[in-house]
């Protein structure tokens, strides 16, 4: 199939793109196009105006700072995947990248496009949720920053207003030795996740949990933080029994049911993947503790 007729615009600055979006009725933003273009071809999306952000070079940036990571909305997933500096500063991103589509889609896909599309099974929003990321937004009323926890409002729905554009993402860096894991279950490599978990954990010298962050994808209508699991871990020595009891709490939330999995099966996956992620993150945290001793 072919898309419905539309007017194509290629602004070269963020300010020009914001102005175009404000003046154009029924407009869509084109980032990587890995989701939007197929939707247009099937006429699930029929914009009258398509505003291409690819010429806006100011949105393609990746900067690792001492306490944060700044990523422009048009930064390609491939660039993030192969950045040695990013891999060292935040290795969970590289691990999650291995589950995102295929090399061809990562070549064109952008972090901003993934976050704005807001697929509940997408990997990058899950990692940004676990890392307490902040989304930077530009619109005709100025700039604003929205925590990722408030950005995802519902199924494929975000806090972006129709006349606003995502400009970038800030990810606070975890300081000191810590462990990480991104685990996913999909029908085939490159398929959408049936369920996935992003896990970050910090331990002290006695293997007591001092900080934990766990985000789940593919189970409910949006990516969610498992705050009950995190609270169950804090202040306790991370042993197999604790992992099992904490992970069991992951199965108590809302779950979708579709042709790929029942709600009960997704709850089961939530528990299993959370336990696997915690075990892997704990091993990595312990290894880092030994390496820094």
């Amino acid at each position: 199939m072919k898309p419905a007729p539309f007017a194509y615009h290629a602004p070269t600055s963020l300010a020009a793109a914001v102005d175009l979006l404000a003046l154009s009725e029924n407009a869509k933003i084109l980032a990587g196009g890995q989701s939007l273009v197929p939707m247009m071809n099937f006429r699930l999306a029929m914009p009258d105006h398509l505003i291409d952000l690819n010429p806006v070079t100011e949105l393609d940036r990746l900067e690792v700072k001492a306490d944060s990571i700044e990523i422009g909305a048009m930064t390609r997933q491939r660039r993030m995947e192969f950045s040695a500096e990013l891999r060292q500063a935040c290795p969970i991103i590289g691990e999650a990248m291995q589950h995102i589509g295929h090399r061809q889609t990562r070549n064109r896909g952008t972090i901003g496009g993934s976050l704005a599309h807001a697929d509940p099974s997408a990997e990058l929003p899950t990692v940004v949720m676990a890392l307490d990321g902040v989304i930077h937004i530009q619109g005709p009323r100025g700039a604003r920053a929205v925590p990722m926890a408030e950005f995802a409002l519902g199924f494929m729905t975000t806090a972006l207003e129709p006349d606003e554009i995502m400009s970038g993402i800030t990810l606070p860096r975890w300081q000191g030795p810590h462990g990480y894991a991104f685990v996913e279950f999909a029908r085939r490599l490159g398929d959408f996740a049936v369920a996935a978990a992003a896990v970050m954990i910090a331990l002290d010298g006695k293997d007591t949990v001092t900080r934990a962050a766990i985000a789940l994808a593919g189970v409910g209508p949006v990516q969610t933080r498992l705050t009950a699991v995190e609270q169950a871990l804090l202040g306790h020595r991370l042993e197999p029994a604790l992992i099992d009891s904490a992970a069991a709490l992951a199965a108590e939330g809302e779950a979708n049911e579709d042709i790929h999995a029942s709600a009960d099966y997704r709850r089961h996956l939530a528990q299993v993947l959370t336990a696997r992620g915690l075990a892997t993150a704990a091993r990595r945290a312990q290894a880092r503790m030994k390496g820094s001793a």
Side-chain angles (χ1 to χ4, degrees), residues 32-68:
Q34 299 306 293
S35 299
L36 178 60
V37 171
M39 291 175 68
M40 290 175 62
N41 286 340
F42 283 106
R43 303 205 175 190
L44 297 174
M46 293 188 291
D48 294 319
H49 297 269
L50 192 65
I51 301 173
D52 189 352
L53 294 185
N54 282 276
V56 184
T57 56
E58 65 191 275
L59 297 182
D60 182 6
R61 67 184 188 280
L62 175 57
E63 184 178 1
V64 177
K65 300 180 179 179
D67 58 354
S68 66

Side-chain angles (χ1 to χ4, degrees), residues 96-286:
M97 285 289 176
Q98 305 307 309
H99 298 277
I100 299 176
H102 301 281
R103 178 69 61 86
Q104 295 89 336
T105 57
R106 297 195 296 271
N107 284 346
R108 296 298 302 169
T110 63
I111 184 172
S114 178
L115 294 176
H117 186 59
D119 190 305
S121 63
E123 293 83 1
L124 282 175
T126 313
V127 172
V128 174
M129 179 77 74
L131 294 174
D132 295 308
V134 176
I135 312 301
H136 300 282
I137 297 169
Q138 190 74 37
R141 294 166 297 281
R144 63 190 182 107
V146 180
M148 185 61 189
E150 301 172 12
F151 182 72
L153 302 181
F155 179 75
M156 300 183 78
T157 304
T158 73
L160 279 169
E161 296 293 339
D163 57 357
E164 290 182 322
I165 297 174
M166 187 190 309
S167 60
I169 301 95
T170 297
L171 301 175
R173 289 185 62 178
W174 279 47
Q175 304 298 327
H178 60 272
Y180 67 92
F182 188 93
V183 289
E184 177 174 311
F185 176 80
R187 296 176 64 209
R188 294 168 299 186
L189 180 65
D191 278 5
F192 290 105
V194 177
V199 179
M200 300 286 292
I201 197 164
L203 306 175
D204 64 13
K206 298 181 179 179
D207 286 347
T208 299
V209 179
T210 59
R211 185 180 179 187
I214 307 163
L216 204 62
V219 178
V222 296
Q223 283 82 2
T224 55
R225 278 287 290 270
L226 299 182
T227 54
V229 179
E230 296 168 6
Q231 291 299 318
L233 296 168
L234 291 177
H236 298 285
R237 183 179 173 85
L238 196 61
E239 298 177 337
L242 177 63
I243 290 176
D244 290 343
S245 62
L249 298 174
E252 296 181 357
E254 181 181 1
N256 295 331
E257 184 162 347
D258 55 26
I259 62 172
H260 301 297
S262 67
D264 285 342
Y265 187 58
R266 279 195 163 90
R267 292 190 188 96
H268 171 71
L269 285 174
Q271 178 176 349
V272 170
L273 295 179
T274 298
R276 289 179 183 174
L278 284 170
T280 299
R283 287 196 300 270
R284 289 170 169 168
Q286 291 163 349

